[in-house]
Amino acid sequence: MEGLRVRMNAVHASPVAEVYRAQSVVSRAALLHSDTAGELIYAIGDIHGRYDLMVELLAFLAEDARARARSRRPMLVFTGDYIDRGPESARVVEALTLVQRRAEVNVHLLKGNHEQALLAFLENPQNGAMWLRCGGVETLISYGVDPPSPDGAPQELAG
């Protein structure tokens, strides 16, 4: 597991997606077979703008749900950090909005610290240098916004 953890940190990818990619039987068993009082629940976190990995993971979960649902409506709990770091934050958010509208799954979207940092930046851009350094630049670019330099003067951040 230590090698997997190091690899996940090295590529800044979703831990859940990396577990899937690594085909770790122990990790997948813990993820998919926890005691959930008969409910079919999947927890997904730390997508960080990686639309490509999210799509792979959702395809895997859809296949698993088809095999195991037995007339149960699967629940997807997204635990936040949809944005920042990866190149497709806007696409991730749009896709999650569409997934949430699907009747065959029950979707819960929780706000993570990266979403909170974005909201704080929108409220007061002058204090946004840290968010920009932690992936905010990539998020703004994914929305077609020319980002300010995180190293610029505070008044530059305010636009």
Side-chain angles (χ1 to χ4, degrees):
M1 271 314 260
E2 187 59 35
L4 175 62
R5 196 171 301 119
V6 168
R7 195 172 105 230
M8 287 188 304
N9 290 335
V11 297
H12 293 97
S14 165
V16 175
E18 286 299 309
V19 167
Y20 160 63
R21 283 178 168 282
Q23 294 294 307
S24 168
V25 175
V26 173
S27 295
R28 283 183 58 216
L31 173 69
L32 300 175
H33 301 290
S34 298
D35 181 16
T36 58
E39 297 293 322
L40 188 56
I41 302 173
Y42 301 95
I44 303 135
D46 296 304
I47 297 169
H48 286 296
R50 290 298 305 271
Y51 177 82
D52 57 335
L53 295 177
M54 182 186 74
V55 168
E56 283 184 40
L57 181 62
L58 290 175
F60 171 77
L61 295 178
E63 182 181 317
D64 185 75
R66 275 192 296 278
R68 300 177 19 155
R70 297 185 307 268
S71 76
R72 296 176 289 177
R73 185 173 170 217
M75 179 185 300
L76 301 176
V77 179
F78 291 88
T79 62
D81 292 355
Y82 316 116
I83 62 170
D84 298 344
R85 297 185 181 145
E88 297 183 284
S89 291
R91 197 168 179 195
V92 165
V93 171
E94 181 180 349
L96 289 174
T97 302
L98 294 174
V99 169
Q100 191 174 34
R101 294 180 184 159
R102 298 186 64 112
E104 65 271 16
V105 293
N106 183 6
V107 176
H108 297 274
L109 300 173
L110 306 177
K111 178 173 55 176
N113 63 312
H114 285 263
E115 288 77 37
Q116 184 58 48
L118 167 61
L119 294 173
F121 173 77
L122 294 174
E123 185 71 29
N124 187 356
Q126 292 178 330
N127 294 329
M130 181 59 76
W131 174 68
L132 291 167
R133 283 188 202 97
C134 291
V137 167
E138 291 85 349
T139 296
L140 292 175
I141 290 170
S142 79
Y143 279 99
V145 174
D146 186 23
S149 169
D151 299 319
Q155 59 271 23
E156 291 176 23
L157 296 177

